[in-house]
């Protein structure tokens, strides 16, 4: 190899192969991990893991008699992670899975963490298994992850970032209920909306009572105006879908205000005419389906892809996003049909492109017919983050009963509460108010407004975990 030639990149494993060929055993030994963590791969791994548990919890600690197996070991939803040493021997393991029977609502529990006696110590196998379990639970869409830990092991979990909840007793021995803080919802809300308050503070133009709303009442008229821009990368890689979504989001904004659609204007930038035509085809089809005629707009070619749409509607009694009060019931009305949009799994739920115009218009007319005290359509902040926006505008805190949230079977709770759904409307009203007539959408009371701020997730055992600890936008009450 000449010195001025580029050095080729090594694929995983190549470095170790080269070191072995060169006879560099000392460097190779330093590079080789002492153990690896992965999912149990078959009956042999499971037998080894159960054997380690029997040695530790039955023979050594005498917490159980005969064996420590229980219903979680036979639950098909349970996942087992094991640590293997350099020779491939299982030297540790941990199990995790949904904590409650029935549908997985995003409440997971870890347990039976064990490390072989000879492998305990500075290698950090136990800590690595705990970290891997946390990552796996979050990847599965969990929003709550608990573990009951022997009291003497609680300091390890605290060092790893877990939170102490309360003392409990398991198998007659003192334990501590620990909880791994999952900040997925808060991070989503912060990324999508936290900058709005400081950024928009100089523009004090919102009508009184409609600060932070989905649409803006035009003073002196019954007209509601809404405007949304589509993420440029989406316009570039999926132009027809971007055109459809530009109408969808504006139709939902008008619907949240209880406004009947009048029409829309579009502003389009595209690298060439062919790209522009694909965007406009999606926009045209959606406009026809939603009954939102295209009144005009602007197009520019030879520029980076960009799309924004302004929609106009009319209502004599706009529904505010900040009309909720403590004690009001929170309801989610959502279209659970369809599935994840290809290329956007876990991020965008597509039901609308499969609905007829009649079905779409039935859903977008639901708020106007029900006239709740407050309404917001679920935006890029996700359902939980959008609920935080409704609560903030209402000067309240929101509690969301996780088990009562309408959700497609195919969507993990963590994905569903943070994704952009095709049609999902959050409303707040007096308890006992009738559900909105929303065509094919599913509607359920799944929470309430209370004194305070932020959003708490309330679980079937009564525990509340913080999803959004404070306000979302910083724009304050309407």
């Amino acid at each position: 190899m000449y010195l001025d030639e580029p050095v080729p990149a090594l694929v995983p494993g190549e470095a170790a192969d080269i070191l072995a060929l060169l006879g560099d055993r000392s460097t190779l030994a330093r590079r080789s991990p002492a153990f690896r963590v992965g999912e149990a791969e078959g009956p042999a791994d499971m037998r080894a893991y159960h054997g380690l548990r029997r040695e530790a919890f039955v023979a050594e600690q005498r917490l159980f008699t005969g064996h420590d197996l229980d219903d979680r070991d036979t639950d098909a939803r349970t996942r087992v992670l094991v640590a293997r040493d350099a020779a491939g021997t299982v030297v540790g393991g941990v199990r995790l899975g949904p904590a409650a029977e029935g549908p997985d609502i995003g409440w997971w529990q870890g347990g039976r963490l064990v490390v072989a006696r000879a492998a305990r110590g500075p290698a950090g196998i136990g800590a690595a298994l705990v970290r891997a379990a946390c990552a796996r639970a979050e990847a599965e869409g969990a929003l709550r992850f608990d573990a009951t830990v022997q009291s003497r092991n609680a300091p390890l979990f605290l060092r790893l970032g877990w939170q102490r909840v309360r003392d409990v007793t398991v198998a007659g021995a003192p334990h501590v209920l620990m909880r791994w803080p999952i900040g997925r919802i808060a991070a989503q809300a912060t990324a999508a909306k936290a900058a709005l308050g400081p950024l928009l503070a100089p523009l004090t133009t919102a009508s009184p009572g409609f600060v932070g709303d989905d649409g803006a009442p035009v003073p002196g008229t019954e007209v509601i105006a809404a405007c949304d821009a589509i993420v440029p990368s989406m316009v570039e890689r999926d132009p027809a879908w971007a055109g459809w979504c530009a109408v969808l989001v504006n139709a939902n904004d008008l619907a949240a205000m209880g406004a009947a659609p009048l029409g829309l204007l579009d502003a389009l930038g595209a690298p060439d005419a062919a790209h522009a035509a694909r965007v406009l085809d999606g926009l045209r089809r959606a406009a026809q389906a939603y009954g939102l005629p295209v009144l005009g707009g602007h197009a520019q070619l030879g520029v980076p892809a960009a799309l924004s749409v302004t929609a106009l509607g009319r209502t004599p009694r706009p529904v505010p996003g900040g009309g909720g009060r403590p004690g009001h019931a929170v309801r989610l009305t959502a279209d659970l049909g369809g599935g994840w949009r290809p290329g956007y799994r876990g991020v965008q739920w597509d039901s609308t492109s499969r609905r007829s115009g009649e079905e779409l218009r039935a859903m977008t007319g639901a708020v106007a017919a029900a006239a709740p005290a407050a309404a917001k359509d679920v935006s890029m902040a996700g359902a939980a983050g959008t609920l935080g926006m409704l609560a903030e505008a209402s000067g309240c805190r929101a509690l969301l009963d996780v088990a009562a949230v309408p959700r497609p079977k195919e969507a993990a709770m963590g994905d569903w509460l943070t994704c952009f759904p095709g049609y999902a409307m959050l409303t707040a009203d007096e308890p006992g108010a009738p559900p909105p007539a929303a065509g094919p959408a599913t509607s359920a009371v799944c929470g309430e407004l209370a004194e305070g701020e932020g959003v708490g997730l309330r679980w079937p055992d009564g525990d509340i975990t913080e999803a959004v600890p404070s306000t979302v936008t910083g724009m304050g009450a309407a």
Side-chain angles (χ1 to χ4, degrees):
M1 177 183 293
Y2 294 103
L3 293 179
D4 60 348
E5 287 184 341
V7 178
L10 297 178
V11 299
E14 255 186 5
D17 293 341
I18 292 172
L19 290 170
L21 289 171
L22 294 175
D24 191 350
R25 297 180 182 275
S26 60
T27 302
L28 186 60
R30 289 196 301 271
R31 292 176 61 94
S32 299
F35 64 90
R36 297 181 185 274
V37 174
E39 189 160 358
E41 295 180 351
D45 281 356
M46 294 302 295
R47 285 194 297 269
Y49 170 58
H50 290 157
L52 291 177
R53 284 168 43 179
R54 189 166 54 252
E55 291 173 10
F57 304 135
V58 178
E60 181 183 342
Q61 300 176 18
R62 300 184 184 277
L63 293 174
F64 303 94
T65 301
H67 66 82
D68 72 327
L69 302 176
D70 59 20
D71 292 344
R72 295 194 184 279
D73 290 303
T74 57
D75 188 335
R77 304 173 301 171
T78 297
R79 301 288 179 262
V80 173
L81 305 179
V82 296
R84 299 180 182 85
D85 64 15
T89 303
V90 173
V91 292
V94 66
R95 73 180 186 188
L96 66 156
E101 296 181 357
D104 178 8
I105 60 170
W107 175 15
W108 277 48
Q109 189 174 60
R112 297 295 198 271
L113 171 67
V114 64
V115 178
R117 183 180 298 187
R120 296 172 195 166
I125 295 174
L129 285 166
V130 172
R131 292 190 185 98
C134 294
R136 180 59 184 271
E138 292 197 52
E140 293 283 353
L143 293 172
R144 173 181 173 183
F145 187 41
D146 296 340
T148 51
V149 178
Q150 293 187 48
S151 298
R152 58 190 173 87
N153 293 329
L156 166 65
F157 281 73
L158 291 171
R159 287 197 300 272
L160 294 175
W162 287 60
Q163 299 169 343
R164 185 186 187 102
V165 180
R166 55 182 172 268
D167 293 332
V168 296
T169 299
V170 178
H175 283 64
V176 179
L177 177 63
M178 308 288 289
R179 182 165 296 149
W180 173 247
I182 297 179
R184 177 176 180 176
I185 290 174
Q188 170 92 359
T190 297
K193 303 293 182 179
L196 294 183
L199 187 65
L200 302 179
L203 302 176
T204 55
T205 56
S207 301
F210 294 93
V211 175
D213 256 287
D214 298 293
V218 178
T221 76
E222 296 183 351
V223 174
I224 303 295
C227 181
D228 275 288
I230 303 300
V231 177
S233 60
M234 182 174 157
V235 184
E236 181 177 351
R237 71 173 181 263
D238 204 349
W241 176 237
W244 178 280
C245 287
V247 178
L248 157 66
V249 294
N250 278 281
N252 285 347
D253 283 347
L254 294 178
M257 302 286 290
L262 293 174
L264 61 83
L265 304 167
D266 68 278
L268 170 63
D272 52 48
H275 192 99
R278 295 171 65 191
V279 174
L280 293 174
D281 178 63
L283 187 146
R284 174 189 56 79
R285 289 186 290 105
Q288 291 176 347
Y290 279 96
L292 256 170
V294 179
L295 305 177
H298 174 79
Q300 186 173 0
L301 303 180
V303 296
L307 176 64
S308 63
V309 165
T310 297
L312 303 174
R314 176 187 290 125
T315 177
R317 294 177 298 278
V319 177
R325 297 294 178 265
H328 277 181
V330 169
R331 178 183 290 275
L332 177 65
T333 303
D335 186 1
L336 309 185
W340 293 116
R341 177 74 181 178
Y344 301 90
R345 184 171 184 81
V347 179
Q348 290 187 24
W349 183 263
D350 176 22
S351 58
T352 60
S353 68
R354 313 178 192 196
R355 294 296 185 189
S356 67
E358 182 180 358
E359 290 174 320
L360 294 173
R361 291 189 289 273
M363 290 188 286
T364 54
V367 171
K376 283 193 76 68
D377 81 289
V378 176
S379 69
M380 296 306 294
T386 301
L387 178 57
M389 295 169 67
L390 185 152
E392 178 183 357
S394 300
C396 296
R397 168 175 171 80
L399 294 174
L400 187 64
D401 291 313
V402 183
V405 173
R407 172 175 60 108
K409 293 181 180 179
E410 301 88 344
M413 186 61 75
D415 291 340
W416 183 243
L417 291 185
T418 55
C419 78
F420 178 78
Y423 172 87
M425 200 69 61
L426 284 159
T427 54
D429 211 346
E430 295 290 343
T442 300
S443 186
V445 172
C446 54
E448 63 189 69
L449 297 182
E451 298 285 349
E453 62 182 19
V455 179
L457 302 182
R458 189 160 54 191
W459 302 90
D461 64 346
D463 274 17
I464 296 174
T465 58
E466 291 301 314
V468 181
S470 184
T471 57
V472 176
T473 68
M475 297 173 71

